[in-house]
């Protein structure tokens, strides 16, 4: 996922879409930019599970093209969009519902000097909300 973000944050399609999405957001409204890209991925990219028995991560441009993907696909697209507009991101892998394995990922982005905002792309929640079903320690990965 991190490799894909590093590669695709400068991709002309991703870079152009990010600029298009934030075009009407007031300049230097960092939270406004983040929210505009977040709500686009949350609402316009359909959540679809991986094929049975397979774990796949799509290229961000494929997720954008077919307008669907699972949590890691949506997070990779959102991270690429945010990073292309100068917003640092990190992936948070979590255990849910008391299970032993990491089965979900959401994104966080840094706004300001030290404020990390959670971005859950698979639920109809506002930016800043994390799942109450998280039961295991988060593993944090930076795309850098």
């Amino acid at each position: 996922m991190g490799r894909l973000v590093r590669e695709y944050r400068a991709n002309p399609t991703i870079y152009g879409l990010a600029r298009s999405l934030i075009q009407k957001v007031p300049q230097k409204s960092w939270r406004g930019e983040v929210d505009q890209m977040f709500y686009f991925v949350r609402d316009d990219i359909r959540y679809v599970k991986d094929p049975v028995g397979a774990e796949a991560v799509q290229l961000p441009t494929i997720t954008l093209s077919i307008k669907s993907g699972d949590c890691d696909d949506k997070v990779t697209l959102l991270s690429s969009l945010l990073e292309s507009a100068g917003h640092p991101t990190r992936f948070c892998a979590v255990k849910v519902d008391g299970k032993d394995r990491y089965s979900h990922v959401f994104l966080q982005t840094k706004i300001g000097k030290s404020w990390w905002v959670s971005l859950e792309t698979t639920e109809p929640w506002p930016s800043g909300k994390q799942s109450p079903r998280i039961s295991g320690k988060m593993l944090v990965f930076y795309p850098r």
Side-chain angles (χ1 to χ4, degrees):
M1 290 170 50
R3 180 187 59 77
L4 291 174
V5 171
R6 286 190 302 276
E7 181 179 342
Y8 280 84
R9 64 186 169 200
N11 175 283
T13 299
I14 298 299
Y15 184 88
L17 176 59
R19 296 302 188 275
S20 174
L21 289 170
I22 63 174
Q23 184 63 35
K24 294 186 179 182
V25 175
Q27 292 184 66
K28 298 185 179 182
S29 172
W30 311 134
R31 182 63 185 253
E33 290 182 3
V34 166
D35 281 350
Q36 195 70 20
M37 290 183 266
F38 164 66
Y39 289 117
F40 168 77
V41 172
R42 188 196 75 180
D43 298 341
D44 291 0
I45 305 297
R46 180 183 173 88
Y47 174 79
V48 178
K49 298 187 284 185
D50 274 331
V52 173
E55 175 57 43
V57 180
Q58 297 171 165
L59 302 177
T61 50
I62 297 296
T63 302
L64 188 59
S65 174
I66 64 174
K67 296 194 179 308
S68 66
D70 71 348
C71 61
D72 48 39
D73 302 322
K74 291 179 72 151
V75 160
T76 302
L77 172 59
L78 180 56
S79 180
S80 298
L81 288 167
L82 289 167
E83 294 229 348
S84 78
H87 299 282
T89 63
R90 64 186 183 190
F91 305 112
C92 299
V94 296
K95 298 175 184 179
V96 294
D97 296 332
K99 295 185 178 156
D100 289 336
R101 65 181 187 86
Y102 293 93
S103 60
H104 183 60
V105 64
F106 63 92
L107 193 67
Q108 290 185 326
T109 190
K110 193 173 185 180
I111 298 177
K113 294 184 183 206
S114 62
W115 181 32
W116 287 94
V117 176
S118 295
L119 303 169
E120 173 55 71
T121 61
T122 67
E123 298 290 344
W125 301 331
S127 61
K129 182 170 180 180
Q130 289 182 18
S131 175
R133 296 171 42 208
I134 294 173
S135 59
K137 180 181 173 191
M138 288 189 284
L139 295 178
V140 178
F141 302 95
Y142 296 86
R144 302 275 180 257

